[in-house]
Amino acid sequence: MEGMGDDKSCTLMCTKGGNGKFVLADRDGKTVYSLDKAGQAKARDFAGQKVKVTGRVKGKSISVTSIEAA
């Protein structure tokens, strides 16, 4: 959105408070995955960036082992 700053600032603003949660969007597969509690904590450092997530996928949810910059 206009005036929200860079990708990281915008993402952090959107996840602030209430029920805002980080998700992983696979643009190629056109799928959005929710992250478990551990993933939520790890994702904050990579807000708005392309990442590589390691973990276990179950449906459209990921139990995150690690997140690193892509």
Side-chain angles (χ1 to χ4, degrees), residues 16-69:
K16 186 177 181 179
N19 291 324
K21 300 210 181 220
F22 293 100
V23 296
L24 177 70
D26 175 3
R27 291 181 180 173
D28 293 335
K30 297 181 182 177
T31 305
V32 176
Y33 296 94
S34 61
L35 306 177
D36 67 351
K37 189 174 182 177
Q40 292 296 317
K42 293 174 184 176
R44 180 165 300 283
D45 293 334
F46 299 96
Q49 299 178 37
K50 289 185 179 184
V51 295
K52 176 183 175 184
V53 175
T54 303
R56 174 164 273 186
V57 176
K58 184 174 184 181
K60 291 189 178 180
S61 182
I62 302 175
S63 294
V64 177
T65 303
S66 68
I67 300 176
E68 59 187 58

